[in-house]
Amino acid sequence: MTWLGACILALVLSPASSWAAGYTQTKYPIVLVHGLFGFDNIGPVDYWYGIPSALRADGAKVYVAQVSAANSTEMRGEQLLTQVKQILAATGATKVNLIGHSHGGPTTRYVASVRPDLVASVTSVGGVNKGSAVADVILGVAPPGSLSNTVLVSVTNGLASIISFLSGGSGQSQNSLEAAKSLSTAGSLKFNLAHPEGVPTTVCGEGAYSVSGVSYFSWSGAKAYTNVFDIMDPALALTSLAFGGAKNDGLVASCSTRLGRVIRDDYAMNHMDEVNQTIGLVNLFETNPVTLYRQQANRLKNLGL
């Protein structure tokens, strides 16, 4: 009995990482793709706060892409495609697993659509797959060609350029008007006609789980205000009003985020919580977002991806 007790004690006191060795070790590298006004890192703050290191700790090869902070889905998609080719050349891998947040969702879908041979899977997190009412409101308030639109575009292009410069991507073009058009309901519909892979054909259903050898997944939050200490939550609570009561994460309606196999679209998270922001100030009463990424990596691993 003493020997058994000693064994149990040794297991309990073992480092947690040893219990999960290889848990996130996917066959193909994971590439994280940021959303609108996103970045890889600015100083000590990562867009994917704590997520890459958590995935790497248990075996995953993780790369953080850097595309335009604001531009059309197609432009961002071409930038991502270039980086995917570079990652494949550097690693010797034949495919990648793409995980995109927000505008990163359709950005990853573009690459999978035009070069499915290079992509093993696409995971859309809070992805704007059928447009956002927030983008519709912005374009409605400041329609292209108006003075208000000129001012808005100038300010947001400047912001995007600053973000890009601070995160080391100063050479990338920025176009916030094209970003807004891409993220609108009409723009998303046009994009989906050209790149329909994984998109649900019903209002709030699931899409094809696999198309042209690419597996499709999605998950998202559905609560705008989750942490009283997070300075972003009041703004997301305000933008959530654009959805007229429909379930949303503050910037995207839950039904719009659905793609391929829907893991869940109703986590008690907002749009920033989905990437563990702001700096980890998320809903303490919901699964930690870092855990969700680890679970998805393990899901991909178990599928041989």
Side-chain angles (χ1 to χ4, degrees):
M1 191 60 116
T2 302
W3 176 83
L4 178 60
C7 289
I8 293 174
L9 182 61
L11 286 173
V12 171
L13 295 178
S14 296
S17 61
S18 68
W19 288 67
Y23 183 77
T24 61
Q25 192 170 354
T26 54
K27 178 178 179 181
Y28 303 110
I30 292 173
V31 181
L32 302 174
V33 185
H34 65 74
L36 180 67
F37 295 131
F39 50 91
D40 51 0
N41 68 281
I42 296 179
V45 179
D46 296 327
Y47 180 92
W48 305 89
Y49 193 74
I51 294 167
S53 58
L55 293 173
R56 290 176 182 132
D58 293 319
K61 289 183 178 179
V62 182
Y63 296 84
V64 178
Q66 185 178 4
V67 297
S68 291
N71 216 314
S72 68
T73 299
E74 292 82 359
M75 178 65 74
R76 285 164 51 97
E78 283 296 322
Q79 293 169 354
L80 177 58
L81 178 56
T82 297
Q83 291 175 53
V84 165
K85 291 176 179 178
Q86 292 170 345
I87 290 168
L88 294 178
T91 62
T94 56
K95 296 183 178 184
V96 294
N97 290 303
L98 298 174
I99 300 180
H101 174 244
S102 190
H103 198 180
T107 303
T108 59
R109 287 173 45 210
Y110 174 87
V111 175
S113 179
V114 300
R115 287 300 305 269
D117 56 310
L118 303 182
V119 181
S121 72
V122 166
T123 302
S124 175
V125 181
V128 192
N129 294 311
K130 287 192 175 181
S132 170
V134 176
D136 293 343
V137 168
I138 291 173
L139 289 175
V141 172
S146 66
L147 176 61
S148 56
N149 178 268
T150 301
V151 173
L152 179 64
V153 167
S154 296
V155 171
T156 52
N157 278 349
L159 174 61
S161 296
I162 291 171
I163 291 172
S164 181
F165 174 77
L166 291 176
S167 60
S170 58
Q172 292 169 332
S173 61
Q174 310 295 333
N175 191 323
S176 56
L177 177 58
E178 289 304 313
K181 288 179 179 178
S182 287
L183 295 171
S184 69
T185 301
S188 295
L189 176 60
K190 181 180 179 181
F191 178 79
N192 291 344
L193 289 174
H195 310 284
E197 296 86 353
V199 178
T201 55
T202 56
V203 174
C204 203
E206 287 190 304
Y209 285 16
S210 180
V211 182
S212 300
V214 181
S215 296
Y216 289 86
F217 306 86
S218 62
W219 62 266
S220 64
K223 188 173 183 179
Y225 203 106
T226 63
N227 192 310
V228 68
F229 297 107
D230 190 341
I231 60 174
M232 294 298 296
D233 281 29
L236 291 170
L238 182 62
T239 54
S240 71
L241 299 177
F243 299 94
K247 189 170 60 175
N248 69 88
D249 65 3
L251 285 178
V252 191
S254 296
C255 287
S256 179
T257 67
R258 296 170 71 94
L259 181 78
R261 176 183 172 184
V262 179
I263 297 165
R264 271 184 64 179
D265 71 351
D266 60 353
Y267 286 105
M269 300 178 182
N270 60 38
H271 202 68
M272 298 300 292
D273 292 343
E274 292 161 358
V275 286
N276 201 31
Q277 296 286 4
T278 305
I279 57 172
L281 293 174
V282 297
N283 192 341
L284 298 177
F285 304 100
E286 179 57 277
T287 304
N288 188 280
V290 177
T291 298
L292 297 184
Y293 286 90
R294 294 183 71 255
Q295 290 174 342
Q296 178 62 1
N298 182 255
R299 187 176 289 114
L300 296 174
K301 172 190 173 182
N302 292 336
L303 289 171
L305 304 175

